[in-house]
Amino acid sequence: MILQRGRVVLEGAGGSGAGMKAEGAVLAAVEAAGVPVAHMYACDGGVEVLGAPFLLTSFVAGETIARKIQRDPQFAVARQNLVGDLGRAAAKLHAVPTSQVGHLAEVDQVENYRLVLDTLGYAHPAFELGFKYLAGNKPPAREASLVHGDLRLGNVIVGNEGLAAIIDWELAHLGDPMEDLGWLCVRAWRFGGRAPVAGLGEYQTLFDSYREASGMAVDPDVVRWWEILGTLKWGIMCIMQTNAHLTGLRRSVELAAIGRRVCENEYDLLELLS
């Protein structure tokens, strides 16, 4: 089994019980919908049992390290199947009735990251161009669905045949389901691979598998809008993580090093906008 304890509570920096309990509720809902996940045995948002909120799940065999999935010979078959597997899994999770995850909030991501960048106070003209494009090309509103929020290599367990489980559901929220497809295609999550989807496959393979499983056609322009937003968002998140180190909030060589990736996202964003 795998035990995940609430780190925030253990560090005495506030409670994470609500977040852990919410993640457990999402995990139960998506498993019932047929999404490949670790089976949840127990979830507790309090501190009485283990001294912190916790989530207890089954162990799922497989690999999470992107470079190994992309290169190791044992995953040769998985590489052929993974993009289609992810499209079908995304369709299943987006079909979960929102009434089953009514505790989740719907957030305007453009507005949220506009506020974050303004609050951080760093000038990034490339990101301003990104915000301008997003505002002028916003897709039509659609009914909100469950969104994983961080669907990418690194947050999936891959076996020799393909997708074994989707993990890390703490960023799940309500929103446009195309957000997940766009985020999966962000260049940073290709980990050096040339193919646009997770460095392993083509857009059309992802779109076709999603359509076959959901019955809904995918508009490539909408996914591209979300890919642009995802690139912009990850760039701002890199600033946030570096800022945590520079301000002393959480001193970390890893967080400091992530700062160099801001310019990568500026480059990727300009490429997408061109």
Side-chain angles (χ1 to χ4, degrees):
M1 298 181 186
I2 300 296
L3 173 66
Q4 180 182 347
R5 293 181 73 187
R7 180 181 64 186
V8 175
V9 170
L10 293 176
E11 293 176 350
S16 66
M20 191 73 76
K21 195 170 183 179
E23 185 176 350
V26 170
L27 197 56
V30 296
E31 182 181 17
V35 180
V37 294
H39 175 68
M40 183 179 67
Y41 292 112
C43 178
D44 196 319
V47 299
E48 295 80 9
V49 180
L50 293 181
F54 71 89
L55 190 64
L56 183 67
T57 68
S58 62
F59 172 82
V60 178
E63 184 58 74
T64 61
I65 298 174
R67 292 300 180 92
K68 289 181 175 290
I69 296 166
Q70 290 177 328
R71 299 177 181 180
D72 285 8
Q74 74 182 86
F75 300 112
V77 174
R79 285 192 285 273
Q80 297 176 16
N81 298 333
L82 189 57
V83 171
D85 290 347
L86 288 167
R88 288 183 286 272
K92 289 180 180 179
L93 80 90
H94 296 154
V96 171
T98 54
S99 59
Q100 295 182 14
V101 288
H103 58 285
L104 298 179
E106 185 173 0
V107 179
D108 186 321
Q109 302 240 10
V110 174
E111 182 179 295
N112 182 57
Y113 281 93
R114 171 78 270 175
L115 178 61
V116 169
L117 186 61
D118 290 345
T119 302
L120 288 169
Y122 294 101
H124 287 274
F127 292 162
E128 297 300 332
L129 284 172
F131 277 118
K132 183 176 181 179
Y133 173 86
L134 293 170
N137 296 274
K138 190 171 183 179
R142 60 190 297 167
E143 186 176 355
S145 71
L146 172 64
V147 174
H148 180 278
D150 200 8
L151 184 63
R152 59 178 177 84
L153 284 189
N155 286 338
V156 294
I157 299 175
V158 178
N160 292 346
E161 302 298 319
L163 180 64
I166 299 175
I167 59 176
D168 290 353
W169 293 84
E170 68 272 14
L171 296 181
H173 58 274
L174 301 182
D176 189 324
M178 295 301 100
E179 177 188 340
D180 276 338
L181 300 192
W183 185 248
L184 182 60
C185 298
V186 167
R187 188 173 182 179
W189 310 134
R190 300 173 194 173
F191 295 94
R194 291 183 177 274
V197 185
L200 295 172
E202 301 302 320
Y203 289 112
Q204 200 58 50
T205 303
L206 177 67
F207 300 163
D208 288 346
S209 61
Y210 186 92
R211 175 182 51 78
E212 290 166 3
S214 68
M216 296 185 296
V218 175
D219 186 337
D221 289 336
V222 174
V223 175
R224 182 175 179 274
W225 189 91
W226 282 104
E227 184 180 344
I228 290 171
L229 175 54
T231 303
L232 172 62
K233 182 169 77 170
W234 174 231
I236 295 173
M237 291 169 72
C238 289
I239 301 173
M240 293 168 63
Q241 294 187 50
T242 301
N243 194 62
H245 168 77
L246 293 175
T247 59
L249 180 64
R250 184 183 169 200
R251 301 290 287 178
S252 164
V253 172
E254 179 187 5
L255 294 181
I258 286 175
R260 70 180 177 81
R261 306 207 64 180
V262 175
C263 61
E264 294 177 3
N265 288 281
E266 291 175 314
Y267 177 87
D268 292 343
L269 184 60
L270 291 174
E271 285 282 293
L272 284 167
L273 294 176
S274 67

